[in-house]
Amino acid sequence: MQIRTTLTVLTAATALVLTGLCVGNNINMLPIDASSNAATYDSLFKVLFSIGTMLFVGIVILLVYSLFKFRRRSGDLSDGLAIEGNLPLEIVWTAIPAVVVLFVGIYSYDIYERMGGMVALNDHSAMDHAAMAQPAMQASTSSRVWGGIGAAGMDAPSMGKVLPVEVTAMQFAFIFHYPDANITSGELHVPAGQSVELHMEAKDVIHAFWVPQFRLKQDIIPGQPTVLSFTATRAGSYPIVCAELCGPYHGGMRSNVVVHEPEAYSAWLQQNSPISTTTT
Amino acid sequence: MTLANPSDFNGSLQPQGWLKYFSFSLDHKVIGLQYLVCGFIFYLIGGALAGVIRTELASPISDFVSRETYNEVLTLHGTVMIFLWIVPVVNGAFGNYLIPFYVGARDMAFPRLNAVAFWLIPPAGILLISSYFIAGAAAQSGWTAYPPLSLTTPAAGQVVWILSVLLLGGSSIFGGINFIATVLKLRRPGLKLMQLPMYCWAMLGTSILVVLSTPVLAGTLILLSFDIIAHTGFFNPALGGNVVVYQHLFWFYSHPAVYIMVLPAFGLVSEILPVHARKPLFGYTTMVYSIMAIVFLGLIVWAHHMFTSGTPPWMRLFFTIATSFIAVPTGIKFFNWLATLWGGKIALNSAMLFSCAFIVNFVFGGITGVALAQVPFDIHVHDTYFVVGHFHYIVYGGTVFVIFGSLYHWYPKFTGRMLNEDLGRLHFLLTFIGFNLCFAPQHWLGLNGMPRRVAEYDPAFTTLNQISSVGALLMAISTLPLLINVVLTAINGKVAGDNPWNALTPEWLTSSPPPVENWLGEAPLVTEPYGYGQKQEVTP
């Protein structure tokens, strides 16, 4: 009897784990991935989706099974078994979530580090580097650039030069300025494969810069310049969405990021550079 | 501590019959029902506001109300539902009605304070709603009222919003102090803490959170009102203020506020399940410890709302781990409830259906919550419809389902009559289907790029939004069977008797509805509130 119970539990647990893995690996709920961060993010999503499915399906099956199996027959006025507790059982189901949560936490920390999230803590040179490439940013604030995710150079060390872009957010538009080429644009144009560093400032209220296909979001906070870096990997046009309530036209505060192949990007630069400007 | 003499206020000078519910009554049962009915009226108002939101979002363009009105509506919807419906009902209504019974007292520790706490709510609610008509514009900056937006939108509506939230916060603090005093000091002699029904523990934990965190919100909002009225610069970056500090202070209250809503719901479910499964509550001691663990952890998780706000990396790491760990005590409670059902004799009535649906909804919301605690995951979905979906699974799927379940469970005690089961099941079915249709697709919307609090959106999201709006319509319809049920049974429902569920908790050991001062004789000493399947002894 004991062996049969153990076997049933084992079979059920295996089936549950397989279901979770199957669902997590085969159902894609995310938009196309278009930055080097996105692929890293998606691997975390798969893990969370798999574990979530296992837990949810397991608990719902247990609940529905109990409701059918232990349903009160009509006319039965007696009580159920007077079981008030079971210490080993309670230790097990305290330990399992604790282990799962710890695993998920450590794994997501690892993902976070791979996305460049911890760089401002470990490596201040990255911040200084960011401060160097920002002529338009006030010097007084450069020592306190609040870390967005993925400081430059972390995610694509081999790609060489970092492309700085200044982002100004205001009700209800994003304005992009390329300090090297002296271009100002309402759309963000970037080359694929090159690390881009956004220096973001808000003019009035809090806005948020979000590109769902890049899996990146950073609030743009008045009074606190922020840096956000990414490397786009797939040519195309993707929406830039303001994610923080910023007033009546918040829903209309949208723009696009156009990811070009490197040659096409050079052409775009050529076309849009002011004639008087010579890039050195 | 002396108990006020209820006969001062509840005696011959007080109105009798239904008029007593419109008086400054000191009877905890009257106050509890005042909270309940008042909260339900605000639920209907908040629901109507939600209807406006979902109608606007049925099409991708902004065409139903103006953009300003849309922001007013979503601000009022959030504020009304949280501060005027859920918090007053799960705490005030059921807490006031049940806690004195559970501790074996004749009333709350401070009956006058209790009445004051309730009577702050209707004026605060009327004030809040009236700002739309009187001040010319209601608050438009969301229920979070983040500066600088809250400093730049029409000031009158924002100030009125602050004032009404302060009044409601005051009411909440008065209630919290009262519950702590009642549970700790007014217990019947011989009743030990570890013999109390679980809802007492839940209310004790909740009240600790209320008393520790609500004053922080009050202080923050007072500073915000200074910024608006007197042009001080606490949070105004143009005057050297810091907007992120506001967010820290705001979430120091508002994350615990989630537990202020769900802990009492956990307590209520712990009362309902054993009765209708005819089994003792499984793992009483761990349930108590897990409540206290949630209280402690609940106070140190607030910054996960700010992962995209430019918090330093170490802070993101700390709050990821703290937030994830709150899943452990919460998980313990869910396994204990499942074990309570296991091997029981389960009656699948409306109270049980709502309670079991709560388990399903909350597990779903909890899993997405653990995902949201992970910084990389949160960065993508923060401020999107994923969060809207998650939050409603916790707050509607968690607490509102429990409020309805509790209504079916305790209505016989409130009125002496049974609610109709068929209408109850219809109510359940419509609510459950409508709720899932409404909020499940929102997770997908958020993952795919729809931000929240928008009146217009990318046409690619139309279908999922329309499904969500249909779900909202079903939820609106679902209130009809409930209203019909309550009205019909109040007039000629089946007479319930004192203890229709054959339950063991003390409120069932007196008449339905109970007399003033709860018991005609001495309060009974109930040391085994969940002693199903055991031989019972109740000492008079």
Side-chain angles (χ1 to χ4, degrees):
Chain A
M1 201 59 199
Q2 196 73 37
I3 294 169
R4 211 178 128 188
T5 317
T6 316
L7 277 178
T8 317
V9 170
L10 272 179
T11 319
T14 316
L16 207 56
V17 169
L18 289 176
T19 313
L21 289 175
C22 189
V23 167
N25 281 308
N26 293 309
I27 298 181
N28 180 27
M29 301 192 77
L30 290 161
I32 190 170
D33 61 300
S35 80
S36 56
N37 271 321
T40 322
Y41 175 91
D42 291 2
S43 52
L44 172 68
F45 183 82
K46 274 183 185 160
V47 170
L48 290 174
F49 196 20
S50 301
I51 295 177
T53 308
M54 289 171 211
L55 288 173
F56 183 68
V57 171
I59 289 175
V60 169
I61 287 178
L62 211 58
L63 177 71
V64 173
Y65 175 81
S66 309
L67 292 184
F68 278 99
K69 169 91 178 164
F70 306 113
R71 206 163 164 184
R72 186 190 303 175
R73 310 275 167 249
S74 64
D76 182 358
L77 294 176
S78 64
D79 286 354
L81 297 169
I83 313 164
E84 288 187 345
N86 182 332
L87 195 61
L89 205 56
E90 290 177 67
I91 289 171
V92 167
W93 67 46
T94 308
I96 290 176
V99 169
V100 169
V101 159
L102 207 62
F103 164 75
V104 168
I106 291 169
Y107 180 67
S108 72
Y109 169 76
D110 179 50
I111 293 279
Y112 184 49
E113 204 167 26
R114 274 154 60 191
M115 290 168 81
M118 297 305 285
V119 77
L121 179 72
N122 299 332
D123 182 7
H124 282 275
S125 64
M127 278 173 62
D128 296 339
H129 173 74
M132 263 160 43
Q134 45 161 341
M137 210 85 86
Q138 299 90 333
S140 60
T141 52
S142 63
S143 59
R144 212 183 152 206
V145 175
W146 288 50
I149 202 166
M154 281 300 286
D155 45 0
S158 59
M159 282 304 164
K161 201 163 169 283
V162 173
L163 172 68
V165 182
E166 289 158 17
V167 183
T168 309
M170 60 179 74
Q171 288 172 324
F172 297 92
F174 294 103
I175 292 170
F176 303 96
H177 179 70
Y178 294 74
D180 293 351
N182 195 21
I183 297 174
T184 303
S185 165
E187 276 188 334
L188 180 61
H189 289 258
V190 297
Q194 187 182 351
S195 184
V196 179
E197 196 168 75
L198 304 179
H199 300 271
M200 305 199 288
E201 268 193 317
K203 283 281 174 231
D204 34 44
V205 300
I206 306 173
H207 301 275
F209 176 95
W210 181 34
V211 180
Q213 284 75 4
F214 291 178
R215 318 283 191 265
L216 281 182
K217 183 183 294 114
Q218 174 62 47
D219 288 2
I220 313 179
I221 302 162
Q224 286 180 2
T226 335
V227 176
L228 181 70
S229 294
F230 62 87
T231 305
T233 52
R234 199 188 288 265
S237 177
Y238 310 106
I240 298 172
V241 182
C242 176
E244 183 68 55
L245 179 64
C246 61
Y249 286 82
H250 167 55
M253 187 168 165
R254 294 199 289 256
S255 181
N256 288 301
V257 49
V258 182
V259 180
H260 299 278
E261 296 299 347
E263 312 82 62
Y265 177 71
S266 306
W268 179 82
L269 270 186
Q270 287 291 317
Q271 270 170 24
N272 289 276
S273 291
I275 297 150
S276 58
T277 310
T278 46
T279 41
T280 48
Chain B
M1 195 174 309
T2 54
L3 189 61
N5 182 5
S7 56
D8 293 352
F9 275 79
N10 297 317
S12 54
L13 291 175
Q14 284 289 299
Q16 296 301 309
W18 60 272
L19 270 176
K20 72 182 171 206
Y21 293 102
F22 293 89
S23 72
F24 194 81
S25 173
L26 296 192
D27 185 345
H28 69 98
K29 299 180 290 297
V30 173
I31 294 173
L33 293 180
Q34 285 173 331
Y35 267 110
L36 185 64
V37 173
C38 175
F40 191 77
I41 291 168
F42 282 114
Y43 171 65
L44 295 179
I45 294 170
L49 294 167
V52 174
I53 295 175
R54 286 314 322 170
T55 309
E56 174 65 77
L57 294 178
S59 66
I61 49 167
S62 171
D63 53 359
F64 181 60
V65 288
S66 76
R67 292 171 172 86
E68 286 81 4
T69 308
Y70 181 83
N71 284 357
E72 289 173 351
V73 165
L74 73 86
T75 304
L76 287 182
H77 165 73
T79 315
V80 165
M81 288 304 203
I82 290 170
F83 292 108
L84 289 160
W85 157 237
I86 295 175
V87 172
V89 171
V90 288
N91 288 278
F94 292 102
N96 271 304
Y97 201 96
L98 297 173
I99 294 289
F101 283 111
Y102 285 176
V103 299
R106 297 198 182 276
D107 208 315
M108 295 286 285
F110 311 113
R112 285 182 188 81
L113 186 68
N114 204 19
V116 170
F118 169 72
W119 282 106
L120 282 173
I121 290 177
I126 292 166
L127 184 68
L128 180 70
I129 311 275
S130 69
S131 66
Y132 183 79
F133 304 102
I134 297 167
Q140 293 178 17
S141 52
W143 84 280
T144 51
Y146 276 6
L149 183 63
S150 52
L151 306 176
T152 58
T153 46
Q158 196 64 51
V159 172
V160 170
W161 179 87
I162 290 174
L163 186 58
S164 73
V165 173
L166 284 177
L167 287 173
L168 295 166
S171 156
S172 202
I173 294 170
F174 293 164
I177 292 169
N178 220 341
F179 287 125
I180 294 176
T182 307
V183 172
L184 293 182
K185 289 289 174 193
L186 234 53
R187 278 193 320 284
R188 185 197 190 284
L191 185 61
K192 297 191 182 75
L193 275 173
M194 291 307 270
Q195 293 168 335
L196 287 171
M198 195 53 63
Y199 184 61
C200 290
W201 281 104
M203 282 308 297
L204 186 63
T206 306
S207 303
I208 292 170
L209 281 177
V210 166
V211 170
L212 289 179
S213 63
T214 316
V216 177
L217 176 75
T220 314
L221 291 183
I222 289 169
L223 294 185
L224 183 66
S225 67
F226 286 174
D227 275 6
I228 296 172
I229 301 166
H231 304 289
T232 50
F234 295 107
F235 306 123
N236 188 349
L239 299 171
N242 189 325
V243 296
V244 177
V245 169
Y246 175 87
Q247 298 181 8
H248 276 293
L249 294 170
F250 178 82
W251 288 112
F252 184 80
Y253 164 77
S254 294
H255 192 83
V258 175
Y259 301 105
I260 291 170
M261 293 183 265
V262 301
L263 274 180
F266 287 178
L268 291 167
V269 164
S270 301
E271 302 305 332
I272 297 170
L273 291 181
V275 175
H276 300 283
R278 313 300 312 163
K279 272 195 62 197
L281 183 68
F282 192 91
Y284 179 95
T285 318
T286 40
M287 292 289 249
V288 171
Y289 290 144
S290 64
I291 285 173
M292 290 305 155
I294 290 172
V295 170
F296 172 71
L297 288 169
L299 285 167
I300 55 164
V301 300
W302 75 90
H304 69 248
H305 293 270
M306 303 159 59
F307 283 157
T308 63
S309 304
T311 43
W314 67 264
M315 202 186 260
R316 299 179 181 193
L317 188 63
F318 173 81
F319 284 99
T320 292
I321 289 166
T323 309
S324 303
F325 258 94
I326 213 161
V328 178
T330 314
I332 293 170
K333 301 191 81 69
F334 281 83
F335 289 122
N336 276 323
W337 288 325
L338 288 177
T340 305
L341 294 175
W342 191 266
K345 307 250 171 155
I346 299 168
L348 259 189
N349 49 32
S350 306
M352 196 64 164
L353 284 170
F354 272 108
S355 304
C356 291
F358 149 81
I359 294 182
V360 174
N361 299 336
F362 201 93
V363 165
F364 189 83
I367 288 168
T368 51
V370 172
L372 280 170
Q374 313 307 318
V375 193
F377 184 87
D378 179 80
I379 282 173
H380 176 54
V381 294
H382 177 72
D383 264 332
T384 69
Y385 260 84
F386 187 93
V387 174
V388 178
H390 156 77
F391 179 75
H392 283 87
Y393 263 81
I394 295 290
V395 168
Y396 195 102
T399 60
V400 180
F401 272 71
V402 172
I403 291 172
F404 289 147
S406 304
L407 192 65
Y408 287 95
H409 183 73
W410 277 289
Y411 187 82
K413 183 49 63 181
F414 297 159
T415 63
R417 291 176 188 275
M418 302 295 284
L419 279 170
N420 180 296
E421 267 301 311
D422 292 332
L423 281 170
R425 290 201 172 102
L426 178 66
H427 173 217
F428 167 76
L429 215 61
L430 286 171
T431 313
F432 188 69
I433 296 171
F435 165 77
N436 281 294
L437 267 186
C438 185
F439 297 112
Q442 295 185 353
H443 295 87
W444 205 355
L445 283 171
L447 285 169
N448 276 285
M450 182 164 161
R452 67 175 181 166
R453 295 169 162 180
V454 290
E456 56 216 295
Y457 54 85
D458 187 334
F461 302 135
T462 311
T463 313
L464 284 173
N465 270 299
Q466 283 171 345
I467 294 173
S468 184
S469 293
V470 169
L473 181 66
L474 270 184
M475 286 164 79
I477 294 170
S478 78
T479 50
L480 288 177
L482 175 67
L483 283 170
I484 294 169
N485 203 349
V486 169
V487 172
L488 284 186
T489 49
I491 299 165
N492 64 353
K494 201 175 110 195
V495 175
D498 292 349
N499 192 354
W501 312 121
N502 208 8
L504 299 176
T505 37
E507 80 274 26
W508 300 102
L509 304 178
T510 183
S511 64
S512 301
V516 175
E517 300 196 328
N518 300 345
W519 290 280
L520 292 175
E522 190 81 353
L525 176 65
V526 178
T527 54
E528 295 267 2
Y530 308 112
Y532 300 97
Q534 301 165 2
K535 210 164 181 276
Q536 285 306 307
E537 279 176 43
V538 176
T539 329

